[in-house]
Amino acid sequence: MLRVFRNEGRKGNDRVRKLKWKKARRRSRRRPGPACAVSAIRKGPLSKDLKPYSRECFYEVFEEEIHQVIVENQLFKPRERVAIGASGGKDSTVLAYVLSELNRRHNYGLDLFLLSVDEGITGYRDDSLETVKRNEIQYGLPLKIVSYKDLYGWTMDEIVKMIGLKNNCTFCGVFRRQALDRGAALLKVDKVATGHNADDIAETVLLNILRGDIARLSRCTSIVTGEDGPIPRCKPFKYTYEKEIVMYAYFKRLDYFSTECIYSPNAYRGFAREFIKDLERIRPRAILDIIQSGEDFRISTFTKMPEQGTCERCGYISSQKWCKACVLLEGLNRGLPKLGIGRSRGPNNDHKKGTKETNGAKSIESKQCGTLDF
Amino acid sequence: MFCIECFRSNLYGKFRLAVTSHAMITPTDNVLVAFSGGPSSRVALQFVHELQHKSLKNFDASRDRLLPVFRVGVAFIDETTISPLPSRDIDRAIQDIRLIVSNLAPPIKQLHVVPIENIYSGDGTNRLKNLLDAVSDTTGKEDLLLHLQMSSLQKVASESGYNKIVLGLCTSRIACHVISATVKGQGYSLPADIQYVDSRWEIPIVLPLRDCLVQELNMLCHLDGLKTVELLKGPCSGINGLVSSLVRILQEENPSRECTNVRTAGKLTPFHFNRIPESDDSIIPLATRRRQKRYNLKPNESISSESFCPICNSPLNKSDMLRLSNLGSCQTNSDSFGAACCSSCRFEILPKDPSSIDHFYSLLPQPLVARAKRSSYDNLSLLREQIQDCLLSDSEDES
Ligand SMILES: [Zn+2]
Ligand SMILES: [Zn+2]
Ligand SMILES: [Zn+2]
Ligand SMILES: [Zn+2]
């Protein structure tokens, strides 16, 4: 069923990219298309009531599409070391599986690694890490785990014990972003690939509109980010529906962990995510249309992100004297956990940013801490 | 909390500021107010009337009588032929509208009640019905009807000698448009639709209530006893319905959200046609021109040419342009019409089945067909120029 809506959506979108990367594409040998009767019709207009793909064809189409995205956008170069941000959840598990498969099949020549962050959440992270450890063996990918305890001296359990459940996702998010970069540096990788899918990106586009964040709006649809930072990140699932990923994981019986973060106070989906799910029911391609809109927005180049420097304390990239993690950490260590949250004073006098996000946008977004899927 | 007088003058102040800062209405203008009967356009009509009334008083009081008073007409698009409502109800509504407009004198304002099928020359009722029936997507049908309404307004304005069209679009409606355009993949053209001025049309459109909330407009109608006629529009369905309920929920949760949302979209770069065209400069007072500068609307901003979708009149994005230019010389009119449409209209309005495109094309009213011809003949060479960077040259290909 789920492939059915693909055709209409991708055409316009792909056209430009296809031409742009015509050369690149030529280098990659295209495998002959799937031979199944169902997928043969894929060229013509399909409607929802057509028979679903055969399982084998679905795998093949799914994987080939990811391959095309990788090639057309030149996500990797031969002999690069690439870390896959692995949370044990469905997105990153499917990403690890598909990437190692494609790396073999198409001779990308990549050194792939699994990179996990251990926040120290009993009953959640310890269990999901067990999944990642099994993946390490199943896919034959070396695994690196960086823990909050080692990096910051605090586990999330300890943080929550101190600050309660109210602002814990601020810590969660800030610490994880940095932990992932530190882990990547330890692994000496050239790139980090994350499991963000089309639904995630569409949601981010809407959230940035609703929040009025024009600078983020201009960057959130980029398939590669952080090229100016220490380690660039890329999203091979940018055009892949969440539904497809779930389907793939389910049919392939991939081993993934599906419980939500116990510290994420809203088990309910945010407005934006719910809206996207409603949209998908009426018009599946709307998810890709939102991404297309995000790519097309006429944003003048003058709206830039604040100038990036380095944190005086830990050397991490920061637009202020101290990076956000150091401010939060200072608060924890001094027993003033509100530091860096809300209006309390810290080493940076104006850290209004990030504060707004946690207080204002709570109920519209679904993944404060990324459901730990980076 | 405002007292009624302050509330009123604050709201009128927003209207006046929009009008003067963007030279929406100048003394020599003949302005057509699009009136649907709802509170937004009711307030637009009221405020335009008050502005006219004041300039008339000034004119009468002035010795030299140099500045003329702009003229005002009102248009109502009558959808009786395609509406599910009993025509008796609509007739009654039209009677109410006549009364509302005639009570606004002096000066007298002409009311144009325009049947929507008048967009065709000759009797278009059946063609219109068939055209709408040919669109299977619920949202697409709704959107097509909106585009036809706009074309009808353009037609009546042009035929009756108006030079501006006033729409009552307020912040709340624009907030919905921002989301629905995003969802329909129209991110590129979105900024064109949400500015104070939109002169991509033959008769420029102005939005003097762009900064007013629907709650304020409802409140004003209530306080001032402005009569509105509400039964005419059914609730939106499909994607538009989904979007308006999202915006409503968000607004209930955080009342400033809809403003934020419009402000974000307001930061997107407008198009060169989002200002009153150059030729009018002579009558734009100096103060206004200065203000325009402050709003960063440079009069001599390099004019990049755009191609426009013949159905929705949106400027086409790069991938649409690329498709259009790759098509080369088109075989039939209906083919070239289809190729000239934006991908959003192609998906939700054009028939999927290539064989029914001819039929669909034959049902289109003249203004849309004309727009398609203009865009395909004028712009082809220009197109290639604009998308050059996307096309690899042959030599590069071979290497
Ligand atoms: Zn969390
Ligand atoms: Zn730091
Ligand atoms: Zn007062
Ligand atoms: Zn269109």
Side-chain angles (χ1 to χ4, degrees):
Chain A
M1 290 299 277
L2 71 170
R3 281 271 144 191
V4 162
F5 38 76
R6 254 358 246 248
N7 310 310
E8 274 303 327
R10 296 292 295 280
K11 263 181 211 153
N13 212 344
D14 277 351
R15 225 34 214 258
V16 178
R17 259 181 298 124
K18 268 194 182 132
L19 276 155
K20 251 184 189 160
W21 304 111
K22 222 174 179 175
K23 262 161 93 182
R25 234 223 342 228
R26 235 162 245 179
R27 259 181 261 128
S28 79
R29 280 275 140 73
R30 279 203 91 169
R31 295 163 43 122
C36 140
V38 185
S39 32
I41 321 174
R42 193 164 172 259
K43 297 257 150 35
L46 294 182
S47 62
K48 274 247 168 200
D49 48 32
L50 267 173
K51 275 188 214 144
Y53 270 54
S54 74
R55 224 177 258 192
E56 288 309 315
C57 279
F58 167 63
Y59 298 151
E60 178 148 5
V61 172
F62 182 94
E63 291 156 8
E64 269 319 280
E65 225 162 63
I66 309 296
H67 172 60
Q68 288 307 316
V69 170
I70 289 172
V71 171
E72 283 164 19
N73 296 283
Q74 301 177 317
L75 295 188
F76 308 115
K77 294 190 196 82
R79 281 178 300 285
E80 262 182 347
R81 293 164 68 89
V82 176
I84 298 161
S87 65
K90 60 173 171 27
D91 296 315
S92 60
T93 303
V94 173
L95 182 64
Y97 178 86
V98 171
L99 268 191
S100 54
E101 195 66 29
L102 292 175
N103 189 31
R104 235 189 323 272
R105 186 184 301 164
H106 295 284
N107 298 316
Y108 291 166
L110 301 178
D111 273 330
L112 295 175
F113 301 88
L114 295 174
L115 172 56
S116 291
V117 176
D118 181 3
E119 295 92 340
I121 304 175
T122 318
Y124 173 77
R125 187 43 98 209
D126 44 359
D127 289 352
S128 63
L129 279 177
E130 287 311 310
T131 314
V132 183
K133 283 174 191 161
R134 284 195 301 275
N135 291 160
E136 177 185 20
I137 298 161
Q138 289 155 352
Y139 311 150
L141 302 176
L143 165 67
K144 172 83 194 167
I145 300 175
V146 286
S147 73
Y148 281 12
K149 188 73 185 173
D150 292 345
L151 289 177
Y152 309 112
W154 291 78
T155 65
M156 266 316 280
D157 285 343
E158 289 163 353
I159 293 173
V160 169
K161 206 171 282 168
M162 174 141 181
I163 66 162
L165 281 172
K166 207 172 162 218
N167 286 307
N168 68 80
C169 277
T170 307
F171 288 87
C172 221
V174 171
F175 284 173
R176 187 180 314 102
R177 212 170 308 131
Q178 213 182 87
L180 201 62
D181 272 336
R182 295 204 187 280
L186 288 173
L187 281 172
K188 296 193 177 62
V189 294
D190 304 293
K191 241 160 236 168
V192 174
T194 60
H196 292 101
N197 58 43
D199 299 48
D200 295 334
I201 296 168
E203 183 186 352
T204 313
V205 171
L206 290 179
L207 288 175
N208 284 329
I209 294 175
L210 297 175
R211 283 199 201 115
D213 196 334
I214 195 83
R216 284 207 170 76
L217 185 61
S218 69
R219 302 172 319 156
C220 69
T221 51
S222 308
I223 194 160
V224 179
T225 52
E227 281 166 300
D228 47 344
I231 296 155
R233 300 189 179 191
C234 65
K235 312 177 187 108
F237 286 165
K238 179 181 169 187
Y239 300 104
T240 311
Y241 294 109
E242 185 168 80
K243 243 185 180 169
E244 295 176 305
I245 293 171
V246 173
M247 197 89 155
Y248 188 88
Y250 175 81
F251 281 143
K252 284 265 182 184
R253 296 179 198 281
L254 296 186
D255 185 4
Y256 70 91
F257 185 79
S258 58
T259 307
E260 281 189 38
C261 171
I262 51 168
Y263 292 144
S264 184
N266 17 358
Y268 73 97
R269 287 179 182 281
F271 286 130
R273 196 62 163 204
E274 212 144 74
F275 173 68
I276 285 176
K277 290 292 160 202
D278 288 343
L279 265 183
E280 195 185 20
R281 242 163 280 160
I282 303 184
R283 184 185 288 183
R285 81 167 218 163
I287 291 172
L288 295 175
D289 281 342
I290 293 173
I291 298 178
Q292 173 82 64
S293 284
E295 290 172 339
D296 280 356
F297 281 140
R298 293 158 52 95
I299 297 173
S300 100
T301 41
F302 297 114
T303 48
K304 273 199 187 121
M305 291 299 283
E307 198 70 26
Q308 294 285 1
T310 47
C311 170
E312 283 182 10
R313 208 175 185 215
C314 70
Y316 188 73
I317 46 158
S318 168
S319 55
Q320 290 176 334
K321 217 170 120 179
W322 283 16
C323 74
K324 188 87 184 160
C326 284
V327 175
L328 291 173
L329 207 53
E330 174 76 2
L332 283 173
N333 292 333
R334 280 172 41 194
L336 301 165
K338 292 252 166 69
L339 210 64
I341 303 173
R343 295 195 179 277
S344 53
R345 288 183 173 268
N348 307 317
N349 289 325
D350 51 339
H351 41 245
K352 282 167 233 145
K353 267 183 199 144
T355 326
K356 260 190 304 190
E357 286 165 30
T358 41
N359 297 339
K362 211 146 215 173
S363 46
I364 55 169
E365 67 191 300
S366 65
K367 293 186 171 182
Q368 283 93 347
C369 56
T371 53
L372 303 188
D373 229 339
F374 306 118
Chain B
M1 196 56 200
F2 280 137
C3 73
I4 293 177
E5 255 333 290
C6 288
F7 166 75
R8 211 182 173 291
S9 67
N10 171 49
L11 200 58
Y12 184 77
K14 287 202 246 183
F15 163 82
R16 241 195 75 109
L17 181 66
V19 168
T20 52
S21 329
H22 299 88
M24 287 182 188
I25 300 176
T26 51
T28 53
D29 278 347
N30 191 9
V31 173
L32 182 65
V33 180
F35 185 38
S36 69
S40 298
S41 59
R42 180 66 188 88
V43 173
L45 178 58
Q46 185 67 24
F47 282 174
V48 169
H49 164 69
E50 282 172 31
L51 194 66
Q52 189 195 31
H53 193 73
K54 276 173 198 159
S55 3
L56 182 66
K57 276 208 297 214
N58 289 343
F59 177 78
D60 288 340
S62 72
R63 192 175 290 259
D64 44 16
R65 307 203 158 188
L66 271 175
L67 279 180
V69 177
F70 66 92
R71 287 160 297 154
V72 177
V74 182
F76 172 78
I77 307 293
D78 172 8
E79 289 168 22
T80 308
T81 50
I82 50 165
S83 169
L85 296 167
S87 66
R88 167 170 45 91
D89 291 1
I90 300 182
D91 286 344
R92 200 177 310 129
I94 293 174
Q95 284 318 308
D96 287 344
I97 287 171
R98 287 190 193 285
L99 214 64
I100 291 171
V101 174
S102 62
N103 282 343
L104 283 175
I108 286 171
K109 294 161 189 66
Q110 195 188 347
L111 171 66
H112 308 262
V113 175
V114 188
I116 182 128
E117 63 272 19
N118 277 18
I119 193 168
Y120 292 93
S121 29
D123 183 21
T125 311
N126 281 327
R127 279 173 79 195
L128 177 64
K129 280 182 179 164
N130 292 338
L131 180 70
L132 290 169
D133 284 343
V135 180
S136 53
D137 187 276
T138 319
T139 315
K141 198 179 296 230
E142 234 168 65
D143 290 347
L144 176 59
L145 190 54
L146 281 176
H147 305 323
L148 293 175
Q149 284 167 359
M150 183 55 77
S151 293
S152 302
L153 278 175
Q154 285 291 326
K155 194 173 179 219
V156 61
S158 167
E159 285 171 356
S160 317
Y162 293 94
N163 71 333
K164 300 271 171 63
I165 296 176
V166 172
L167 297 187
L169 280 183
C170 60
T171 307
S172 319
R173 284 277 306 283
I174 293 174
C176 287
H177 184 74
V178 168
I179 304 292
S180 55
T182 304
V183 162
K184 292 170 192 166
Q186 294 172 312
Y188 179 74
S189 60
L190 167 63
D193 310 332
I194 57 169
Q195 310 299 325
Y196 294 95
V197 176
D198 177 0
S199 50
R200 83 188 103 156
W201 308 87
E202 183 197 344
I203 314 295
I205 289 165
V206 297
L207 312 181
L209 300 185
R210 186 181 179 272
D211 300 325
C212 305
L213 299 172
V214 72
Q215 294 87 336
E216 296 176 315
L217 302 175
N218 286 333
M219 177 70 95
L220 185 74
C221 288
H222 176 74
L223 291 174
D224 283 8
L226 301 178
K227 194 170 162 48
T228 56
V229 184
E230 271 298 25
L231 60 83
L232 298 169
K233 292 266 149 37
C236 297
S237 48
I239 287 187
N240 300 329
L242 211 56
V243 169
S244 38
S245 53
L246 173 79
V247 170
R248 201 172 42 243
I249 292 170
L250 292 173
Q251 211 264 337
E252 278 163 17
E253 184 237 1
N254 176 355
S256 69
R257 186 91 67 200
E258 101 196 337
C259 299
T260 314
N261 167 352
V262 173
R263 227 178 299 126
T264 322
K267 288 180 205 153
L268 302 175
T269 314
F271 291 82
H272 63 86
F273 51 74
N274 285 126
R275 46 183 296 278
I276 295 295
E278 198 80 347
S279 57
D280 289 8
D281 257 6
S282 53
I283 50 166
I284 297 177
L286 189 66
T288 304
R289 261 181 276 161
R290 249 188 239 128
R291 248 178 256 129
Q292 280 187 325
K293 245 182 206 150
R294 207 182 60 214
Y295 285 96
N296 207 10
L297 295 164
K298 291 180 220 93
N300 288 323
E301 184 186 335
S302 69
I303 288 176
S304 67
S305 293
E306 304 280 344
S307 288
F308 297 91
C309 168
I311 296 181
C312 68
N313 211 16
S314 294
L316 298 180
N317 69 6
K318 257 190 177 174
S319 46
D320 287 331
M321 301 269 263
L322 200 61
R323 192 199 48 242
L324 186 52
S325 70
N326 274 349
L327 206 78
S329 51
C330 286
Q331 305 77 18
T332 67
N333 283 338
S334 57
D335 281 345
S336 64
F337 181 85
C341 291
C342 72
S343 47
S344 178
C345 289
R346 286 161 62 81
F347 174 76
E348 64 168 32
I349 294 176
L350 281 190
K352 299 278 167 299
D353 176 14
S355 63
S356 30
I357 294 211
D358 277 335
H359 176 62
F360 181 84
Y361 182 76
S362 71
L363 295 170
L364 287 169
Q366 182 53 29
L368 274 65
V369 173
R371 230 183 274 153
K373 292 213 162 120
R374 218 177 310 135
S375 78
S376 59
Y377 292 138
D378 290 358
N379 291 320
L380 222 72
S381 58
L382 209 133
L383 270 171
R384 290 211 162 259
E385 205 171 292
Q386 284 177 38
I387 52 176
Q388 236 168 13
D389 54 324
C390 288
L391 299 161
L392 294 174
S393 69
D394 289 336
S395 56
E396 222 182 325
D397 251 353
E398 301 313 316
S399 62

